[in-house]
Amino acid sequence: MIPELESLREQVDEELKTARTEAEFQALRIRYLGRKGLLTGLLRNIANVQPDQRPLFGKRCNELKEFVSAKIDQHLAELAVSEKEKSLRTERIDVTLPGRAVRYGSLHPITKVRDEICGIFAGLGFSIEEGPEIELDYYNFEALNIPADHPARDMHDTFYVDEKRVLRTHTSPVEIRTMQKNSPPIRIISPGKVYRRDSDISHTPMFHQIEGLLVDKGITLANLKGVLTHFLKKMFGEETAVRFRPSYFPFTEPSAEVDIRCVICGGKGCRVCKQSGWLEILGAGMTHPQVFKNVGYDPEIYSGFAFGLGLERIAMLKYGISDIRLFFEGDLRFLEQF
Ligand code: DAH
């Protein structure tokens, strides 16, 4: 039996030399040392060995078992070390490489202008009101003193939802809703989307307005002038010249259009101000007595003023943008400049 042991030793030596992977070494362990392994089998057959040789045979068998087991352990330990070195090498991070810049979002220019305007009026004690974009004809026109046959309706290019409902053409209906819900004093502004059937370099079917309304006892045109002049100087700079021109709106009397000295040419006359030196910025007026009657306010007791302005127009003037459609194309190269 000793020669068999010798040849098994040579065989295992060979196999230990050719094994490479962890799996191969584990297989070797099972092949020689497992319950049905070659060495285990040899030892189990000790009964076939001459009695006087059994102690020596048993000793050699155990020596070989320990030798094989130690060898496998040693190889596995070496493998683990070299695996670790390999992964350290391949997963190395070069901390001196420049980092990848995180892309920040930015506020839309219309949002920025809206927030700025709301901030100025908040400073004067105005609070914010909102209203629905699908609006009853009654609020959008009728209650604002624009009956069905009124020529002012032609200016609005209205999208009709059905007989009674429209996409609101301005933010003025929020005035009516606010007055119906509250009694004076009232001091609100209302930013939001409005819709008109119009599309070219300075018109889009959806755009943004801000409405303002102040109602109390003893409000006069002087208050309107004071508040709007303050607002325009905060918005465009203290040196900005402001002028009020008589105009017409069905829901105010008297009505005015408010201009500022052209921010592009300083008043000399240019393409943007159409050589007039002035830019039209907002519509305004003293709330019409009929509008007060429509919401149940007594026009003998209360007076007030209202105004409305387009956000796109203000943003275009403030940032020098010549095509309104840029606001709604979602082009990051444009939007990231703000
Ligand atoms: N609603 C008007 C428009 O869209 C703007 C406007 C003018 C609003 C005069 C007002 C106002 O409150 O008093 O053209």
Side-chain angles (χ1 to χ4, degrees):
M1 284 301 268
I2 299 281
E4 280 178 40
L5 199 56
E6 281 308 317
S7 74
L8 206 55
R9 172 184 208 105
E10 278 163 27
Q11 190 184 328
V12 78
D13 266 345
E14 254 333 285
E15 290 189 32
L16 278 170
K17 265 183 233 155
T18 53
R20 287 280 170 278
T21 66
E22 185 186 337
E24 283 169 358
F25 284 110
Q26 298 293 15
L28 259 183
R29 195 197 294 280
I30 291 166
R31 194 161 134 69
Y32 286 93
L33 308 175
R35 251 185 337 112
K36 294 179 183 163
L38 294 171
L39 261 167
T40 321
L42 210 57
L43 207 54
R44 206 176 281 137
N45 286 338
I46 197 163
N48 301 339
V49 178
Q50 305 253 309
D52 59 330
Q53 287 188 11
R54 280 182 197 163
L56 183 63
F57 179 75
K59 192 168 168 244
R60 287 281 152 79
C61 270
N62 281 326
E63 276 168 8
L64 185 55
K65 270 178 81 171
E66 267 158 42
F67 169 79
V68 171
S69 176
K71 270 283 178 206
I72 290 173
D73 286 347
Q74 185 196 336
H75 276 109
L76 285 176
E78 281 168 12
L79 259 182
V81 169
S82 69
E83 279 299 316
K84 180 144 195 189
E85 275 170 359
K86 194 170 141 201
S87 68
L88 279 177
R89 229 180 308 115
T90 55
E91 291 164 22
R92 213 182 92 187
I93 293 169
D94 182 352
V95 293
T96 67
L97 282 174
R100 273 191 210 116
V102 177
R103 269 179 94 131
Y104 289 103
S106 57
L107 289 180
H108 194 280
I110 298 298
T111 307
K112 291 186 72 159
V113 168
R114 182 200 66 193
D115 290 352
E116 194 178 340
I117 295 174
C118 288
I120 295 170
F121 282 102
L124 295 172
F126 284 68
S127 56
I128 291 179
E129 278 291 330
E130 285 186 81
E133 288 168 30
I134 295 176
E135 184 56 285
L136 288 170
D137 182 288
Y138 176 76
Y139 288 106
N140 196 82
F141 293 123
E142 206 77 27
L144 286 164
N145 209 20
I146 318 175
D149 57 358
H150 198 288
R153 286 215 182 193
D154 290 351
M155 288 160 46
H156 284 247
D157 303 309
T158 311
F159 285 111
Y160 279 89
V161 176
D162 56 34
E163 288 269 299
K164 285 198 160 131
R165 290 177 304 167
V166 301
L167 295 185
R168 67 177 180 187
T169 57
H170 52 178
T171 42
S172 304
V174 183
E175 292 187 25
I176 306 296
R177 289 180 173 274
T178 306
M179 288 192 281
Q180 277 186 346
K181 273 190 305 191
N182 307 279
S183 39
I186 283 177
R187 233 185 310 181
I188 59 113
I189 52 168
S190 183
K193 294 182 169 71
V194 300
Y195 302 83
R196 291 185 196 178
R197 295 178 41 170
D198 216 347
S199 187
D200 59 40
I201 192 165
S202 54
H203 297 88
T204 45
M206 183 283 295
F207 60 104
H208 299 79
Q209 283 189 338
I210 290 191
E211 192 76 13
L213 174 69
L214 186 149
V215 183
D216 207 341
K217 289 176 181 156
I219 300 301
T220 70
L221 195 65
N223 300 117
L224 177 155
K225 277 190 82 172
V227 167
L228 293 181
T229 304
H230 169 84
F231 158 65
L232 291 168
K233 284 178 182 284
K234 282 269 175 255
M235 195 69 196
F236 291 100
E238 285 302 324
E239 68 293 346
T240 308
V242 178
R243 89 179 174 182
F244 291 73
R245 271 183 298 114
S247 184
Y248 173 77
F249 298 103
F251 36 92
T252 46
E253 179 58 34
S255 303
E257 265 166 310
V258 186
D259 302 340
I260 58 170
R261 173 87 32 81
C262 181
V263 290
I264 310 288
C265 65
K268 286 199 225 43
C270 67
R271 201 175 44 84
V272 176
C273 63
K274 299 196 185 91
Q275 309 306 328
S276 73
W278 294 92
L279 296 165
E280 188 187 318
I281 295 293
L282 49 81
M286 303 303 293
T287 304
H288 197 291
Q290 185 58 49
V291 172
F292 279 150
K293 285 183 197 153
N294 292 344
V295 296
Y297 286 8
D298 185 345
E300 297 298 326
I301 301 176
Y302 295 110
S303 56
F305 66 83
F307 55 92
L309 54 90
L311 284 182
E312 281 76 6
R313 177 157 171 81
I314 298 214
M316 286 168 84
L317 293 172
K318 209 172 155 79
Y319 298 118
I321 297 159
S322 54
D323 187 339
I324 192 175
R325 293 170 291 203
L326 281 167
F327 289 127
F328 307 115
E329 281 168 358
D331 188 334
L332 287 180
R333 292 168 302 180
F334 170 73
L335 295 173
E336 277 176 345
Q337 295 175 47
F338 302 95

